[in-house]
Amino acid sequence: MNLKPPWTATSFHEDSESKDSLGVISEIPLGTLMERTTSRVPMTGRRDSRPSRADVHLTHALACMDTSVSGPARLSSRISIRCPTHWCATCFALTSRHHDVMMSYMNADRNSQLPLYAQVEAVLAARIADGTYPPGTQLPNEASLLASFNISRTTLQKTVQNLITRGLIEIRRGKGTFVTQPRLTQPLTELSGFVEDMRAHGRHPSARLLARQVETASEAVAGKLALKPGTPVVHIQRVRIADGTPLSFDETWLPKDIGEKIIENDLEAEPIFTLLEEKYGVALIEAEYRLEAIAADAAVAQALEVATGSPIFLIERTSYSDENRPVDYEKLYYRGDQIQFVTRLARRKPNLP
């Protein structure tokens, strides 16, 4: 790998708006500097003797390397560089302004024993780990990634599928590919609602109301609410969202006398638990939980923006008020790739003779 740039640090400094000499030392992935300096054709396509600012910037960084690299370069290797100008240091903080420029230097190493998809997977996984792509960030589109890594669409699809399997990224239909949030660990130690749980995790909760209606209770719903089958109940469907990511699809059934009051409110802004306790004076004392692992059917998959058959935690929860009255029956479908549940149990002392 030839690290001698066609333009020097001096020419960069004279072309830069900043005359500061900060002597900043930073460590960056070598993949961001896969060099094209053996050619004097700037990436802008101009063939004149004066390069663009972006070209000068990248070659200046190569000139400032403290460590030389020989032999096939690994995309995952890290090297230290000394950047003597403010503009250069800003760039290697990986700001979005210059990120696409550096991505163009990340061609996969076809001499490596690793398959191309594995090389690209390693680079993208490293960028997610080091915060270049923070949780919730949208990855560059397919065309940009194909051009950046100089790979085929089939190779990129394999890479993306592997990253999805590892839980690092997700595809949101009609929106693009995004870095996933770290999986939540939710204790099952007390009765709490979605908004309370998400705020405790430092997440921003929101909701999307899908339906609210009065219907006759099925045998299963009637049994949970201690009603006769066919009794009118209120049925509410919502998608619960954390930091923009659909996390849970909730179905709630309430006795009609309570539910008709609840559905008069803005259910995208006001949690049902809060309305029950603070607005209508219905105290929630305890709840029964039943957990089951299932595969998402078409309706659940559409609500949660996941593929049909994706793993789901199904929680059936019946909440009780005073005098052991069931006032809220729910089926909560949580995305298996976004949350895990934990509880701590005390051992019952054995009866000794």
Side-chain angles (χ1 to χ4, degrees), residues 6-7 39-53 55-56:
W7 300 289
S39 169
R40 285 181 173 267
V41 180
M43 46 187 255
T44 54
R46 296 184 294 120
R47 293 181 177 272
D48 56 15
S49 59
R50 184 172 177 80
S52 68
R53 291 179 63 87
D55 290 314
V56 172

Side-chain angles (χ1 to χ4, degrees), residues 204-222:
H204 174 69
S206 57
R208 184 169 70 250
L209 180 65
L210 300 182
R212 52 183 170 183
Q213 61 192 26
V214 177
E215 63 185 30
T216 57
S218 66
E219 186 173 346
V221 170

Side-chain angles (χ1 to χ4, degrees), residues 48-180:
D48 56 15
S49 59
R50 184 172 177 80
S52 68
R53 291 179 63 87
D55 290 314
V56 172
H57 175 67
L58 267 296
T59 54
H60 164 64
L62 290 171
C64 293
M65 284 183 181
D66 291 336
T67 306
S68 62
V69 181
S70 61
R74 300 291 183 187
L75 288 176
S76 59
S77 300
R78 300 184 73 85
I79 54 177
S80 294
I81 64 169
R82 182 180 298 275
C83 303
T85 68
H86 174 72
W87 193 51
C88 186
T90 300
C91 182
F92 284 103
L94 293 176
T95 61
S96 58
R97 176 183 176 188
H98 300 326
H99 177 66
D100 290 341
V101 173
M102 291 194 291
M103 283 289 288
S104 70
Y105 282 74
M106 295 172 57
N107 292 315
D109 179 11
R110 282 162 172 75
N111 294 323
S112 172
Q113 294 180 353
L114 284 177
L116 293 179
Y117 73 82
Q119 294 182 53
V120 179
E121 178 185 344
V123 172
L124 294 179
R127 290 189 167 276
I128 292 170
D130 69 16
T132 301
Y133 296 134
T137 298
Q138 184 174 5
L139 293 183
N141 61 32
E142 182 181 82
S144 296
L145 290 173
L146 291 175
S148 297
F149 291 102
N150 191 24
I151 56 176
S152 69
R153 180 172 283 104
T154 301
T155 298
L156 181 60
Q157 289 172 345
K158 176 68 172 176
T159 298
V160 169
Q161 187 55 54
N162 285 358
L163 291 172
I164 291 174
T165 301
R166 293 169 62 180
L168 297 179
I169 64 173
E170 63 182 353
I171 296 176
R172 300 180 189 173
R173 296 174 184 174
K175 297 180 180 179
T177 304
F178 292 78
V179 178
T180 58

Side-chain angles (χ1 to χ4, degrees), residues 210-257:
L210 300 182
R212 52 183 170 183
Q213 61 192 26
V214 177
E215 63 185 30
T216 57
S218 66
E219 186 173 346
V221 170
K224 294 294 185 181
L225 293 176
L227 302 171
K228 293 182 179 180
T231 301
V233 294
V234 170
H235 183 196
I236 300 167
Q237 293 178 312
R238 294 170 296 167
V239 176
R240 314 304 295 275
I241 301 166
D243 290 342
T245 299
L247 187 61
S248 174
F249 169 54
D250 294 4
E251 292 194 277
T252 304
W253 289 268
L254 303 162
K256 185 182 176 184
D257 62 316

Side-chain angles (χ1 to χ4, degrees), residues 191-194 224-225 236 238 240 249-254 272-273 287-290 314-319 328-333:
L191 175 58
S192 58
F194 181 85
K224 294 294 185 181
L225 293 176
I236 300 167
R238 294 170 296 167
R240 314 304 295 275
F249 169 54
D250 294 4
E251 292 194 277
T252 304
W253 289 268
L254 303 162
I272 291 177
F273 274 16
E288 178 185 87
Y289 281 68
R290 292 178 180 269
L314 169 59
I315 298 178
E316 289 190 70
R317 180 171 68 187
T318 306
S319 300
D328 182 303
Y329 169 58
E330 298 168 283
K331 296 179 78 172
L332 313 174
Y333 300 85

